[in-house]
Amino acid sequence: MQPITYERPETVEAAVRALGRPETLFVAGGTTVFDLMKVNVLKASHLVDVTRLRDPRLSAIEVSDTAIRLGALVRMADLAAHPGIRAICPLIPLSLDLGASEQIRNMARLGGNVLQRTRCAYFRDTSFEACNKRNPGSGCAALDGHNRQHAILGTSTACIAIYPGDFPQVLAAVDAQVEIAGRQGKPRTIPFTDLHRLPGETPDVETVLKRDELITGFLIPRGPWLRRSLYLKIRDRQSYAFALASAAVALDLAPDGTVREARVGLGGVATVPWRAREAEAALKGNALTEAIAHRAAEAAFAGAVTRSHNHYKIPLGKQTLVRALLGAAAMEV
Amino acid sequence: MSGHETALRELPLIGRGHARYDGRAKVTGRAQFAADVVVADPIHAFLLLSTIPRGRIDRIKTDRALVLPGVIDILTHENAPALAAPVSQAAGSATNHQPLIDPDIVFDGQVIGVVLAENFETAREAAALVDIHYVKQPAAVTLDSPGAVTERWSEINQNFEDLEVGDAEKALAEAPVTIDATYHMQSQVHNAMEPFPTTVLWDGDDLIVHEPSQYVVGLQRGVARQLGIDPSRVRIISPYIGGGFGSKLSLTPRTAILAALARKHRRPVKLVATRSQGFTLSTYRGESRHRIRLGATPDGKLTAFAHEAWEMCSRFGAYASASTDLTADMYAAPSILTRVNIVRTDRTTPGFMRGPGEMPYMFALETAMDELAYRLEMDPVELRRLNEPARSPIDGSRFTSRSLVKCFDEAAERFGWRNRNPVPGANRDGDWLVGYGCAAATFPCFNYGGSATVTLLRSGRARVETAASEIGTGAYTALGQVAAELLDLPIENVEVLLGDSLLPPTAPAGGSMQTASTVPAIRLACERIVSRLGNRMPALADLGAAFDRLGTLSIQETAQYAAFDGKNANGGRAVLSTPDGDEPIAIASYGAQFVEVRINARTKELRVPRLVGAFAAGRILNERMALAQYRGGMVWGLSSALFEGLAIDPIQSRVTNTNFEEYAIPVNADVQMVEAILVPEEDHEVNPLGVKGIGEIGIVGVAAAVSNAIFHATGKRLRDLPITLDKLF
Amino acid sequence: MPGDPNLPNPHRRNFLRGSAGVAIAPFAVRAARAEIPALDASEDARALTAVGMTVNGQRRRLSVDARTSLLDALRDQAGLTGAKKGCDQGQCGACTVHVDRRRILSCLMFAVASDGADITTIEGLAGEDGALHPMQASFIDQDAFQCGFCTPGQILSAVACVKEGHAETEADIREYMSGNLCRCAAYPNIVAAIRQAKPLMEG
């Protein structure tokens, strides 16, 4: 880890201005920055600590009739513990509680959480030479390496690194928007599903953020599906482990059980927070039976591409989604 | 030498569960682990490890690193001081590789350099700037890799013989019922919470080493030998060890190298190796494969037992856990055929890890026994009862005590085994498939004897001193408790000094033998103290008068215990001297493990809500410490079954999961009910206190019980550890 | 003892043992002195930065490299070695301390970022009179540790777990204590200790 300088601006303007310096990184909780800097995966010579920016909305959880707004500096633990959110959208605290540990949830902020880096072993260990994400053009060691954890959706021949995390899959599912501040002009807002880029030929470019842009918040439109929502995470350990497969589902059911609206996000299986619109289409207008749930799961994984050690993720991913859908349908709301 | 035995009270079969002697130090953060020691003006070291499995260093350039402000020195094979080769102080566990003597790379994660700097941050930064070019060669890193070479262990190790009792091949060919199955487990690494820190400093010609060690006397001698100095010039200080499990039993190459650097620079040197580096700095449990063949009559009597094992080894070392004697001693098979092979690969040498061979060898045997029970449509517990041997099936040795059946009965009762529906796949609770499984546990007794000093003061305070190690087993507590009880003192009156090579030497904290080897010496010392007090320990209130009569303020006795007249007990065998001549005896602890697994019918994740084990290991000195060892061991067994295994990259022949995230060990949520039952057992022959080992048996058998329970839940027989959910699809 | 101890391949596990050394090497340990040049954040990346914090109720001023973790600052500069370095990657919990009344991983926190923070380490948990915190006492009572290396982190995590309201059920405790690995696997005892300490902390 090279020497660094450090600054702690007080305004968003000052923060994004600071990113004009070369080799500069934002840091908030540090939980997906400091670890990687120690092992020379992330290299920076200047850190801009954004945790003490004065804008109170950055740390606010705001609920209106039409939307939930989450400031980018809200701690994971605080959002998980927010009683209002739990009542409106149980999916959100569920996904947070199942992620990381309470210590990390106390440190990590939502803005950093959605930008967390892959857990691909070949990315996180510089002694492996080939990693297109870390070292563009060097190849992908995971393609024929040990790839039990790796992605089966959204992959390319350049990268199969999994997108980790749980909460971002929820944001992808529930039509969240991301608010972004930059040096030029007014803040912009984009759909969360547009924030992350598929690896394609440039897996090193993970998001559409410009290098001097800062996420300031998330906007989740309120819909009747948020109440009937759950997050199911399957992993080797019972806790403190990344997903092998996960499903974020939110359903609006008619009194006769017909699916009026469905929102489906998938984790542990894809290179980005994954929105399974094909599954949603398979559900819409149908009664949520076991057969329909399976049809949705088939649709969600129709495009899956596996490698030597991760074939199991297709049946696992499907069953995870089926279980989540049936579980959500059975919820009392 | 024990003419005054009657002067001492008999200890209870299960000793009172006094709280930990070192409890307060450990809950307040005052317990000083090696990396906590403050030394003046230390140099910080950072290790460079190889990143290829085989080849050589073509070029190593340190100039960019050396010019950093604060960098003091960078050691590579081009400028390393000459040291004698490390000889493992615990012979047989071979971290005998000597790094930095040539450019050759013989395993991934080999020490190829040491960076010294004024602070940790600079040392780490400089390490990343050392430019290394390798010439790579193809490597074999698994049992099945091209280029891996199988050798028969008995041809390498003159002291080892494979077993051949009767004609097992013929018996197998003729047996009405046979099982022939192969079992496999991936390599595992100890991963104690404390990695591998070392701080060394010289005081003139004397070397002080702060390093966690399960065997301070061995480390002392090993380092002295490498440096070419007298062992009396080396002092190892290791009062607390942040977990060992075998990883801190053997000399590793780092210590002497750091000592040489400290001597060169005339300053203390401090190393705190990283978690990732710890995966290759010491030993590990190597990958192994086992073929078990069982022959039986239709009513379940074994007619033949055959066990062939293949254990991973390095090219340069020679280690095998070779536990076929253990499995052959389990059941009354009239014919036995065993063979142990090592498979030479481009890896570092494996070594002792909690239940080194007992865990994998018994995983294989006890899964095979379950397969046989299902084949015979017989209760697995009954199958074991039916084949309980009266004497060792190998050589007819007498078991001094063997409570296997009793352990099965007690654990089965507590577990509720009787109520199980034996049909595989028939037990369901909602979306969860439920399975019950059981397996036997065993661990052989070792005893190398030991020595200790006990001092009794006129005030009624006492002190026990011995070079034993506290690795979490409760050594301070158990050893102090023995002295307190024998001297009839409140336990608070006894001070215990451990973990220092200046203290009287004793057996290592390995092989579950330290307590059994050391307490007889403590007993002997107490006996002599009492003998000086007139063969009867006075009441505390009368102690002053008794000392006054002797005209002294303190009585100090150092005693040495020589197990089996100095012939020791090794791997479950010893020789008793009797009036009729020498009698070979079989000495081991036994236990039974019962497990409930739950598997989600859809997503296959696997949870273990209940573990019940019963163990008989002779006299228990402290009930609380024993339960902790057993239960901790059982969770290790669970971990070996479900989580642990090195992930090998097949193309690059390297380990990819050298961290706590991907080398998973259980978290709190993975462990629900873990119950250990202490089965009382009296054994007057194993040693004067009848103490067997308790540190390792808890892990043994759990993996088989888990795999057997998975079969019961699903009808799917899984013979490859760890059993992760992908194997259930 | 059978066989040549230098032979690496004994039939069974043999351990070379020998007699203890007799010379008493003087044990020279002097406390490291923390130098505290007062420096502001500098453009020179190798310069040290002065940070002020409250640690266990006492105001401290440390000068740190911006790369230094709070864990290393506490251990090497403040002389508080109770927090342990188990992985330095946020994967084990041994470095858990409280910052502004929340449990956090000190290995993932830049020391410079803790400027102005109120920090509690294991050394600050017991009363000034040495009376153990109920959680510490319960850990002893329930034998909630073996080697003790993860214990300071477990205890600080456990205290926070109770204060957060995450210790209502055993299942909750297990889940919310899962960020603290214990290789000795004293987990059931840790759960029992928290259950014992909870009413004492609240009462």
Side-chain angles (χ1 to χ4, degrees), chain A residues 69-316:
Chain A
R69 188 188 178 281
L70 307 169
L73 287 179
V74 170
R75 296 170 197 265
M76 288 173 73
D78 289 347
L79 179 55
H82 194 281
I85 297 294
R86 193 169 287 268
I88 297 168
C89 182
L91 178 59
I92 290 173
L94 261 175
S95 71
L96 291 161
D97 279 339
L98 293 173
S101 68
E102 190 68 5
Q103 289 97 311
I104 291 174
R105 294 191 291 264
N106 273 331
M107 303 173 80
R109 315 300 176 100
L110 300 182
N113 181 256
V114 304
L115 297 177
Q116 65 182 301
R117 312 302 295 272
T118 183
R119 310 307 294 192
C120 174
Y122 301 99
F123 170 76
R124 298 179 73 87
D125 183 344
T126 58
S127 73
F128 291 103
E129 284 162 24
C131 174
N132 287 324
K133 193 183 273 297
R134 173 164 43 79
N135 188 9
S138 61
C140 173
L143 286 175
D144 297 311
H146 191 273
N147 47 39
R148 175 177 181 264
Q149 315 268 3
H150 285 75
I152 58 173
L153 293 172
T155 60
S156 73
T157 51
C159 184
I160 57 170
I162 205 88
Y163 179 86
D166 303 289
F167 173 66
Q169 282 75 355
V170 171
L171 291 178
V174 298
D175 309 310
Q177 303 274 311
V178 195
E179 297 173 359
I180 300 163
R183 285 171 86 187
Q184 270 84 40
K186 293 170 80 88
R188 61 180 181 134
T189 299
I190 61 169
F192 183 78
T193 46
D194 290 349
L195 176 65
H196 294 86
R197 294 170 43 129
L198 288 170
E201 291 305 305
T202 54
D204 55 309
V205 186
E206 296 184 348
T207 70
V208 299
L209 291 176
K210 300 190 189 80
R211 46 166 280 102
D212 56 356
E213 286 186 320
L214 178 68
I215 293 176
T216 53
F218 306 94
L219 210 59
I220 299 170
R222 292 185 64 173
W225 48 85
L226 292 186
R227 285 286 301 281
R228 184 183 292 282
S229 68
L230 66 74
Y231 185 76
L232 178 65
K233 180 175 184 179
I234 309 299
R235 42 192 165 170
D236 286 321
R237 292 200 294 218
Q238 173 89 25
S239 183
Y240 202 22
F242 289 91
L244 298 172
S246 72
V249 302
L251 299 173
D252 178 23
L253 299 185
D256 67 355
T258 305
V259 177
R260 281 196 288 239
E261 288 288 341
R263 298 287 182 274
V264 178
L266 298 176
V269 290
T271 54
V272 296
W274 194 260
R275 176 78 177 261
R277 294 186 197 273
E278 302 82 356
E280 294 170 8
L283 292 165
K284 193 166 178 177
N286 290 306
L288 215 173
T289 60
E290 172 118 17
I292 288 295
H294 276 283
R295 196 188 298 169
E298 290 296 330
F301 287 89
V305 177
T306 62
R307 307 295 304 186
S308 47
H309 300 110
N310 63 4
H311 304 298
Y312 76 98
K313 284 202 172 186
I314 291 183
L316 174 63

Side-chain angles (χ1 to χ4, degrees), chain B residues 370-421:
Chain B
D370 199 68
E371 298 200 41
L372 178 61
Y374 274 99
R375 182 77 57 80
L376 294 164
E377 297 185 3
M378 180 181 264
D379 185 317
V381 177
E382 291 311 309
L383 177 65
R384 288 165 174 96
R385 191 193 314 279
L386 190 67
N387 288 287
E388 172 71 2
R391 298 177 81 92
S392 163
I394 301 173
D395 57 8
S397 292
R398 178 170 60 85
F399 294 105
T400 58
S401 55
R402 176 172 163 127
S403 309
L404 177 64
V405 171
K406 195 151 185 256
C407 289
F408 263 107
D409 288 342
E410 292 212 13
E413 176 67 27
R414 185 71 59 92
F415 184 81
W417 180 256
R418 201 181 316 167
N419 304 326
R420 109 196 147 116
N421 171 358

Side-chain angles (χ1 to χ4, degrees), chain B residues 19-20 23-24 26-29 33 35-36 38-40 68-69 87 89-92 120-122 125 153 156-157 159-160 189-191 193-195 201 203 206 208 210 215 217 220-221 225 232 235 237 241-243 245 249 275 318 325 352 356 358 443 446 448 470-472 501-503 505 508 511 513 568 570-571 573 624 628-629 631-632 635-636 639 644 659-661 665-669 671-672 696, chain C residues 1-32 46 65 67-69 72 75-76 79 81-88 91-94 122-123 125-126 129-132 135-137 139-143 145-152 154-155 173-175 177-191:
Chain B
R20 284 177 197 266
R24 195 181 173 92
K26 285 178 176 175
V27 301
T28 54
F33 294 85
D36 302 341
V38 176
V39 292
L68 287 188
V87 174
Q89 79 271 28
F120 170 70
E121 288 78 11
T122 304
E125 176 189 358
W153 181 237
I156 297 165
N157 181 355
N159 297 322
F160 181 82
V189 182
H190 316 79
N191 268 313
M193 292 306 299
E194 174 191 49
L201 59 154
D203 190 324
D206 293 330
I208 297 169
H210 297 278
Y215 191 26
V217 177
Q220 172 196 40
R221 295 165 61 93
R225 182 182 162 131
S232 64
R235 182 178 178 193
I237 302 175
I241 297 142
F245 313 113
L249 198 51
R275 170 63 47 191
D325 287 11
F352 306 136
E358 294 78 9
F443 196 87
F446 295 80
Y448 282 3
E470 160 56 23
I471 55 174
S501 59
L502 291 178
L503 299 170
M513 75 163 108
N568 296 333
N570 240 338
R573 285 294 190 276
R624 182 191 288 238
Q629 284 306 297
R631 295 168 79 190
V635 175
W636 266 63
S639 186
E644 292 184 52
N659 58 68
F660 260 147
E661 177 198 319
I665 63 168
V667 296
N668 202 315
V671 179
Q672 299 181 36
E696 293 170 89
Chain C
M1 165 148 198
D4 176 356
N6 294 327
L7 254 186
N9 322 315
H11 175 20
R12 298 169 190 276
R13 286 198 267 163
N14 297 332
F15 296 88
L16 171 61
R17 91 198 144 78
S19 58
V22 287
I24 298 181
F27 177 37
V29 171
R30 282 155 287 174
R46 293 195 185 277
D65 187 312
R67 293 172 287 180
T68 303
S69 66
D72 284 336
R75 289 180 54 82
D76 296 340
T81 56
K84 297 292 189 272
K85 188 182 279 191
C87 72
D88 215 18
Q91 297 169 353
C92 80
I122 193 71
E123 291 88 347
L125 208 55
D129 56 352
L132 294 179
M135 191 63 75
Q136 293 172 309
F139 263 61
I140 295 175
D141 283 350
Q142 297 294 338
D143 205 35
F145 52 91
Q146 292 180 27
C147 80
F149 191 81
C150 73
T151 310
Q154 297 279 1
I155 290 175
I173 294 172
R174 285 198 293 266
E175 172 61 33
M177 287 300 291
S178 282
N180 292 80
L181 301 186
C182 171
R183 185 56 156 159
C184 301
Y187 295 129
N189 308 56
I190 291 168
V191 174

Side-chain angles (χ1 to χ4, degrees), chain B residues 90 94 110 163 236 283 327 460 492 520 607 633:
Chain B
Q110 167 186 331
L163 299 173
I236 311 295
T283 63
T327 50
E492 302 75 33
R607 302 294 175 236

Side-chain angles (χ1 to χ4, degrees), chain B residues 97-155:
Chain B
H97 176 255
Q98 188 174 19
L100 301 175
I101 54 170
D102 58 34
D104 292 347
I105 303 298
V106 291
F107 63 91
D108 184 19
Q110 167 186 331
V111 175
I112 55 169
V114 185
V115 177
L116 299 183
E118 294 293 344
N119 58 56
F120 170 70
E121 288 78 11
T122 304
R124 181 176 60 188
E125 176 189 358
L129 295 177
V130 176
D131 192 16
I132 304 155
H133 286 261
Y134 299 101
V135 177
K136 295 182 192 174
Q137 291 178 308
V141 294
T142 70
L143 295 180
D144 298 325
S145 302
V149 175
T150 299
E151 296 176 14
R152 191 167 179 167
W153 181 237
S154 61
E155 286 170 7

